[in-house]
Amino acid sequence: MESSVEGILVKIKGHMLNKLKEKILSKKAKIGIIGLGYVGLPLCITFAKAGFRVYGIDIDKDRVEKIKKGESYILDVPRSELMLVTRDRSLEVTTDFSVIKELDAVIICVPTPLYKTREPDVSYIIASVKNIKRYMKRGQIIVLESTTYPGTTEEVMLPILEGDGLKEGKDFYLAFSPERVDPGNTKYDTKNTPKIIGGISKNSTEIAKLLYEQALETIVPVSSAKVAEMVKLLENTFRIVNIGLVNEILLMCGKLKIDAWEVIDAAKTKPYGFMPFYPGPGCGGHCIPIDPIYLSWKARMHGFEARFIDLASQVNSEMPHYVISRTAEGLNEHKKPLKGSKVLVVGVAYKKDVKDLRESPALEIIEMLVKKGADVSYYDPLFSYLKIHSINLKCARFSKETFKSADCVVIVTDHTKVDYNFIVENSKLIVDTRNVLKNVEDRGNIIKL
Ligand SMILES: NC(=O)c1ccc[n+]([C@@H]2O[C@H](COP(=O)([O-])OP(=O)(O)OC[C@H]3O[C@@H](n4cnc5c(N)ncnc54)[C@H](O)[C@@H]3O)[C@@H](O)[C@H]2O)c1
């Protein structure tokens, strides 16, 4: 008797799996995306454009209202694209999580910051998973895209979702698929960047692969969620370590009186075995300075010290201080102390052409300059106001007067749409932390980092 009941259950569950597959293949599957930021919003549009009904869910009412009006707050998402998918209602947005009841797939794209203690803060993931659990139904697939330490999907999400006896791989499906979006990149976007997928069970990998394959060009399945989580951290660790290395080379070249930028440009002519990384004023953004710390934290839990990550973080965090010392040296040559000098910071975003201030070294540089008594102003075409703790600044005008009146201009972010010839023509002294002036005629007023 019991075995026949079990047999029926296996059949039902097999039927459930096939039903979900059919829904995905016929694009009748409804997809929910939790977290409508740099990652979630482009993903909504990618799935909506592929022919799915997409429901964006966010706790931020302002963001939801903006999307409803077709207003984009993400530079990589043009208003025209957003209008296209909101007008025909292939994308609908809400703050109401009960919509999850209607969905077949739920993808989580919420933030994964660090606590002040530099420990991973997975509370946004936990909050999302608890909301899913409240409304989930059998036969759904849940995918986490937020960058996190290896084990999060299995150790943090799975126990909550299986809480009342549901079984992963049978009653629902769970996978991790890291987002690899590179804001500002005009060649690679959500659709054409290969997508890594690792499920908790084989069924989950299969379903997640099928889902993403309908909207994205290349899918790369791996053997587990843990491997997929680790892939993303390897990629970002590779970047932080190489940035740390090249920053150290720059500091070393400074002592040896060698132009590090020229060295890198020459080294990159080697057609194999070398990949150029560039030094700079510090390592910013939501990913590179933070994600590897997730990994080193997890490694430490297992008694392993991630020495490369720690060293690279340490070197990178010295860079804003180095910018200050180069600025002070330059002013000194002009017989001026930093205290009381007018310093104009050009570019405050963490990287060029991106309207994002998160972890931007410019913020630390401005704070340090203010602390040292400099009279600081800034210019950045992407930010009209800047607030750093108690410092409130209004973007300076891009005018002769602005540059002529500054004792020193510090270029921190190399936005494309800035007239650098004009800056060099009208400034007394410039500290170029990005080598953006390499093709501009030097009038003896440029200091390279
Ligand atoms: N920005 C990038 O370039 C990038 C690249 C790759 C990976 N990632 C990773 O992707 C994840 C998301 O990053 P992002 O840059 O899109 O973040 P973001 O801050 O731009 O967006 C996150 C969104 O999630 C919302 N949110 C927060 N808590 C929520 C909750 N409990 N329920 C619903 N919505 C909630 C926020 O209101 C916000 O709109 C992070 O783990 C990040 O590390 C980011």
Side-chain angles (χ1 to χ4, degrees):
M1 175 69 186
E2 216 181 291
S3 63
S4 69
V5 171
E6 266 171 24
I8 292 168
L9 278 177
V10 168
K11 265 194 186 162
I12 291 173
K13 283 170 184 172
H15 176 64
M16 212 164 63
L17 185 74
N18 288 333
K19 211 170 137 194
L20 182 56
K21 282 185 191 170
E22 268 168 41
K23 275 186 155 184
I24 291 172
L25 283 169
S26 62
K27 308 221 168 140
K28 288 201 177 112
K30 291 182 183 168
I31 303 171
I33 294 175
I34 302 183
L36 303 173
Y38 290 88
V39 169
L41 190 57
L43 190 65
C44 284
I45 291 174
T46 308
F47 273 114
K49 276 168 68 180
F52 287 92
R53 299 252 357 222
V54 180
Y55 297 80
I57 311 167
D58 204 293
I59 48 171
D60 185 332
K61 285 189 189 126
D62 282 353
R63 287 196 154 184
V64 167
E65 285 313 312
K66 277 198 174 122
I67 298 173
K68 280 184 181 165
K69 286 187 224 149
E71 281 174 31
S72 174
Y73 41 80
I74 306 268
L75 222 61
D76 289 342
V77 175
R79 185 181 158 82
S80 55
E81 292 229 328
L82 195 55
M83 293 292 278
L84 203 72
V85 293
T86 46
R87 212 176 270 154
D88 71 3
R89 303 190 67 189
S90 49
L91 171 64
E92 290 185 52
V93 286
T94 179
T95 54
D96 182 0
F97 286 80
S98 68
V99 71
I100 290 169
K101 284 190 265 187
E102 316 295 327
L103 304 175
D104 301 292
V106 187
I107 303 174
I108 304 172
C109 307
V110 294
T112 42
L114 291 172
Y115 285 116
K116 279 202 176 116
T117 53
R118 313 247 333 133
E119 285 174 8
D121 175 3
V122 291
S123 63
Y124 299 84
I125 297 179
I126 294 175
S128 306
V129 179
K130 286 189 173 162
N131 272 321
I132 294 173
K133 182 67 186 167
R134 268 177 77 192
Y135 298 109
M136 82 189 274
K137 59 174 189 193
R138 282 189 155 79
Q140 287 175 323
I141 170 135
I142 294 139
V143 183
L144 176 65
E145 288 215 4
S146 305
T147 311
T148 184
Y149 59 80
T152 309
T153 311
E154 197 175 337
E155 295 158 16
V156 178
M157 293 178 69
L158 187 63
I160 301 174
L161 294 169
E162 282 192 334
D164 54 4
L166 290 187
K167 198 83 197 100
E168 194 282 333
K170 291 191 173 113
D171 299 309
F172 69 95
Y173 310 98
L174 178 60
F176 182 80
S177 177
E179 175 51 61
R180 294 160 134 182
V181 71
D182 178 20
N185 194 323
T186 49
K187 190 172 173 201
Y188 290 104
D189 56 17
T190 306
K191 190 172 185 287
N192 65 3
T193 304
K195 194 91 175 102
I196 305 285
I197 284 174
I200 294 290
S201 60
K202 276 197 176 135
N203 280 349
S204 298
T205 309
E206 194 190 339
I207 290 284
K209 179 174 174 285
L210 195 68
L211 177 69
Y212 280 94
E213 226 143 70
Q214 308 310 311
L216 275 63
E217 286 174 12
T218 314
I219 310 298
V220 185
V222 294
S223 64
S224 66
K226 241 183 209 172
V227 168
E229 289 160 336
M230 188 67 192
V231 169
K232 173 73 186 177
L233 293 179
L234 168 62
E235 290 166 7
N236 283 0
T237 300
F238 174 82
R239 287 192 63 76
I240 199 178
V241 168
N242 278 289
I243 294 168
L245 171 67
V246 84
N247 276 333
E248 191 175 77
I249 294 286
L250 178 103
L251 299 175
M252 194 190 296
C253 283
K255 295 275 179 210
L256 301 175
K257 307 270 177 264
I258 295 170
D259 182 341
W261 304 92
E262 190 186 348
V263 172
I264 297 161
D265 277 348
K268 78 177 185 199
T269 60
K270 186 176 177 185
Y272 47 86
F274 184 81
M275 180 189 262
F277 279 81
Y278 296 95
C283 199
H286 184 42
C287 296
I288 309 300
I290 291 173
D291 303 345
I293 309 297
Y294 267 65
L295 182 55
S296 60
W297 174 85
K298 184 68 178 176
R300 206 169 302 125
M301 295 288 119
H302 290 258
F304 188 92
E305 287 300 322
R307 288 167 295 169
F308 276 99
I309 294 174
D310 293 344
L311 184 59
S313 304
Q314 193 189 323
V315 174
N316 293 335
S317 65
E318 281 168 22
M319 297 313 288
H321 298 266
Y322 187 58
V323 174
I324 302 291
S325 72
R326 297 290 281 150
T327 307
E329 278 165 28
L331 283 166
N332 196 40
E333 288 296 309
H334 286 230
K335 301 191 171 49
K336 293 202 163 172
L338 200 47
K339 194 177 177 116
S341 286
K342 286 188 166 186
V343 180
L344 174 70
V345 171
V346 172
V348 293
Y350 84 85
K351 79 171 193 179
K352 73 170 168 185
D353 306 334
V354 162
K355 196 178 175 184
D356 192 344
L357 288 174
R358 289 178 292 181
E359 309 290 319
S360 174
L363 309 182
E364 195 181 345
I365 289 168
I366 291 174
E367 264 197 301
M368 279 195 277
L369 288 168
V370 169
K371 261 192 199 145
K372 290 188 182 294
D375 178 0
V376 185
S377 54
Y378 85 95
Y379 170 74
D380 188 313
L382 299 178
F383 297 92
S384 37
Y385 293 94
L386 191 61
K387 179 169 170 46
I388 316 164
H389 305 303
S390 60
I391 304 168
N392 288 291
L393 298 171
K394 194 169 164 246
C395 181
R397 280 182 54 231
F398 193 86
S399 67
K400 269 190 187 177
E401 199 193 328
T402 299
F403 290 98
K404 280 195 189 295
S405 66
D407 296 307
C408 182
V409 172
V410 184
I411 300 174
V412 176
T413 313
D414 48 344
H415 289 309
T416 312
K417 285 185 189 156
V418 172
D419 185 347
Y420 292 104
N421 281 305
F422 182 91
I423 295 180
V424 176
E425 274 164 26
N426 293 293
S427 306
K428 298 182 196 87
L429 172 67
I430 306 159
V431 176
D432 178 7
T433 71
R434 302 280 188 177
N435 202 26
V436 70
L437 305 179
K438 71 175 174 184
N439 297 322
V440 177
E441 189 195 337
D442 188 355
R443 298 167 176 240
N445 56 351
I446 302 172
I447 297 178
K448 276 190 206 175
L449 197 60

